[in-house]
Amino acid sequence: DIKSNFDFLRKNIEILKSKGIRVSLFVEPNLKSIEQAKKVGADRIELYTYYYAKNYYNDKCSAVKKYIMASKHAKKMGIGLNAGHDLSLSNLRFFNRSVVDLLEVSIGHALISDSIYYGFENTIQMYKKELN
């Protein structure tokens, strides 16, 4: 909730950035959150992709729609874009190809889980393939 924590976030983001630390805020894929993240001084946002992953198998085009809109707005606002939560080998490629200017994805949980079955080095290569 950026709006309710605006002063706290702004103060602490300034401290982090003064030390050369890039700041990303984890947000819902809505225009207001992106605008607030920019106002508070964040360098990037990370879109919460749980709802995309949850609805991916029902209708992937509908599932990604608000993320596409959010990514375009982030680009317009001049804030970097990351995404994460429940992204996996099965849904990552479509998301990456649909969402513009995606800089990073948080895939740690899925990557570690997949590495149990496929091995760590192989799993990393599989994820890299999905992102290319």
Side-chain angles (χ1 to χ4, degrees):
D1 183 1
I2 298 169
K3 187 176 180 179
S4 296
N5 296 289
F6 191 88
D7 292 334
F8 171 82
L9 288 169
R10 188 174 214 28
K11 176 183 155 195
N12 286 288
I13 287 171
E14 284 177 13
I15 292 168
L16 292 169
K17 289 175 79 170
S18 74
K19 298 181 184 302
I21 299 170
R22 184 182 72 209
V23 177
S24 179
L25 297 179
F26 199 51
V27 299
E28 295 286 344
N30 65 60
L31 307 184
K32 199 70 155 168
S33 293
I34 296 166
E35 291 166 3
Q36 290 173 344
K38 180 69 174 177
K39 285 180 186 175
V40 82
D43 301 297
R44 294 186 182 183
I45 54 166
E46 180 171 331
L47 296 177
Y48 177 55
T49 53
Y50 167 77
Y51 296 105
Y52 163 75
K54 180 180 176 188
N55 296 304
Y56 175 79
Y57 293 105
N58 296 329
D59 183 351
K60 64 184 176 183
C61 291
S62 289
V64 79
K65 190 175 183 177
K66 63 183 171 179
Y67 297 92
I68 293 170
M69 189 171 68
S71 68
K72 289 177 181 177
H73 195 62
K75 182 176 183 173
K76 181 178 152 187
M77 296 293 301
I79 192 164
L81 182 68
N82 299 345
H85 200 289
D86 291 333
L87 294 173
S88 66
L89 287 171
S90 60
N91 64 26
L92 183 57
R93 179 179 292 188
F94 183 77
F95 188 86
N96 186 51
R97 289 185 175 167
S98 301
V99 174
V100 297
D101 296 319
L102 188 60
L103 298 171
E104 294 179 12
V105 290
S106 297
I107 53 173
H109 180 74
L111 189 140
I112 296 301
S113 297
D114 289 336
S115 71
I116 292 169
Y117 299 101
Y118 305 120
F120 195 66
E121 187 174 336
N122 189 39
T123 301
I124 290 171
Q125 295 307 314
M126 293 167 73
Y127 275 92
K128 286 173 81 173
K129 183 180 176 187
E130 295 303 306
L131 290 167
N132 286 331

